[in-house]
Amino acid sequence: MYLSDTTIFPTFRAISLSTEGSPLLCNLKHTAMRKVMYKQFGDESVLELVNQQVPGFEKDQLLIRVKAVSINPLDWKVYGGEMKLMSGSSFPKSVGIDFSGTLEQTGSTITRFKVGDAVIGILDVFKGGALADYVVVKETDIVLKPVNTSFEQAAALPLTGLSALQIIDQLATVGPNQDVLINGATGGIGVFAVQLAKKRGARVTAVVSTKGVTDAKKWGADTVIDYTKQPIKLLSQHFDAVIDLSTKLSFSDAKSLMKPKAVFVSTLPSPLTLARS
């Protein structure tokens, strides 16, 4: 799907939370909810579904009943222990960054939202907690859900969409007539990054697998490279910005693709990759 002035978001896999049969909210502090947590780093086997009390909230906070949650690579990197320098090693920890849902109750100072609003939001990326029946947030953590999207579609937007905006506008500062290479252009961030770079007036080269060629062309990439057939390290073209969304292109390899004054952006680089670069 396309990113336009009347935005239609692509469909990513999201987890829906059934709320049928949930207790009434008239006595929240005595109401149980479900939440996914873990007490040690590891693979999916460390995740546990636990029952907890619905959290209370302050006068500047809102209680959201979660309808859908998306799971990103950052989630499994955090609970797998790859990001412990940022997330810390104290337990228990929670899972889930992106969510969509409906506003159930508000603090006394809330003015921008009202009970019943459908919203999307993002939690602290290293603390998580969205994979639960309810979350407590501040006004700055949420926006109204676009009316032309499902809760599942909307839940997949915040982290990937905001990451793409940050990369294109703040880190790479993509502008008119620039040559931009996006490696991993059909992933969660890439789908937005390609379209945003085109909207900024850049010439976009998208690097994808064979199955991603058609989508990259549909989203507006000027040149599409199938890395299974053409190694990008052998490209003769040079770029104003090289954006690696696959986390597999090191800075030392990217240098041969960059103009004398260029920017290299990598998502989730490992400590070893940083050291080597």
Side-chain angles (χ1 to χ4, degrees):
M1 295 186 182
Y2 300 93
L3 190 68
S4 63
D5 292 334
T6 55
T7 306
I8 300 176
F9 303 120
T11 301
F12 295 94
R13 185 176 180 183
I15 298 173
S16 295
L17 294 177
S18 172
T19 55
E20 292 183 3
S22 296
L24 297 176
L25 299 175
C26 59
N27 194 13
L28 283 175
K29 65 181 180 180
H30 297 302
T31 300
M33 73 170 194
R34 299 163 299 170
K35 188 172 186 177
V36 175
M37 305 190 73
Y38 58 103
K39 300 175 183 177
Q40 63 184 39
F41 293 123
D43 59 18
E44 290 79 4
S45 64
V46 304
L47 303 180
E48 301 178 49
L49 184 63
V50 302
N51 290 320
Q52 286 191 345
Q53 197 174 68
V54 173
F57 54 92
E58 302 294 333
K59 63 181 181 180
D60 62 342
Q61 294 179 319
L62 310 92
L63 180 69
I64 308 297
R65 174 177 256 175
V66 177
K67 294 290 188 180
V69 175
S70 64
I71 300 299
N72 299 281
L74 185 56
D75 288 289
W76 55 259
K77 285 180 180 289
V78 171
Y79 70 67
E82 295 183 35
M83 311 295 290
K84 66 178 68 175
L85 289 177
M86 282 77 82
S87 69
S89 298
S90 60
F91 296 98
K93 293 183 180 295
S94 305
V95 181
I97 302 166
D98 296 334
F99 66 90
S100 64
T102 55
L103 203 166
E104 293 293 336
Q105 289 196 5
T106 68
S108 59
T109 63
I110 299 300
T111 58
R112 292 173 50 205
F113 301 94
K114 65 182 184 300
V115 171
D117 281 345
V119 298
I120 61 175
I122 187 169
L123 301 181
D124 185 298
V125 296
F126 297 117
K127 292 182 180 179
L131 202 52
D133 285 318
Y134 297 94
V135 293
V136 171
V137 299
K138 292 195 172 183
E139 285 186 309
T140 52
D141 297 326
I142 60 173
V143 296
L144 292 174
K145 181 182 77 68
V147 295
N148 60 342
T149 64
S150 67
F151 281 102
E152 289 81 7
Q153 289 173 316
L157 173 65
L159 183 63
T160 54
L162 289 173
S163 296
L165 278 170
Q166 182 183 43
I167 289 169
I168 297 300
D169 290 343
Q170 298 178 20
L171 301 179
T173 57
V174 172
N177 299 315
Q178 288 188 335
D179 294 301
V180 177
L181 182 141
I182 301 178
N183 187 36
T186 52
I189 298 175
V191 60
F192 297 111
V194 169
Q195 297 177 75
L196 287 169
K198 286 299 300 177
K199 279 184 169 288
R200 303 300 184 262
R203 293 178 292 272
V204 177
T205 296
V207 181
V208 300
S209 65
T210 302
K211 65 181 180 181
V213 169
T214 299
D215 283 337
K217 291 179 179 178
K218 183 172 63 177
W219 296 329
D222 299 281
T223 303
V224 180
I225 296 174
D226 182 346
Y227 66 79
T228 68
K229 300 177 180 178
Q230 182 180 0
I232 61 174
K233 298 177 185 179
L234 301 181
L235 290 178
S236 58
Q237 184 179 357
H238 294 85
F239 300 89
D240 297 285
V242 174
I243 300 170
D244 177 41
L245 304 177
S246 71
T247 70
K248 296 178 181 178
L249 181 66
S250 68
F251 175 64
S252 56
D253 289 331
K255 284 191 293 186
S256 64
L257 303 171
M258 298 165 65
K259 295 180 180 180
K261 291 185 178 181
V263 176
F264 174 69
V265 179
S266 177
T267 56
L268 295 179
S270 68
L272 182 58
T273 300
L274 291 173
R276 287 175 175 173
S277 298

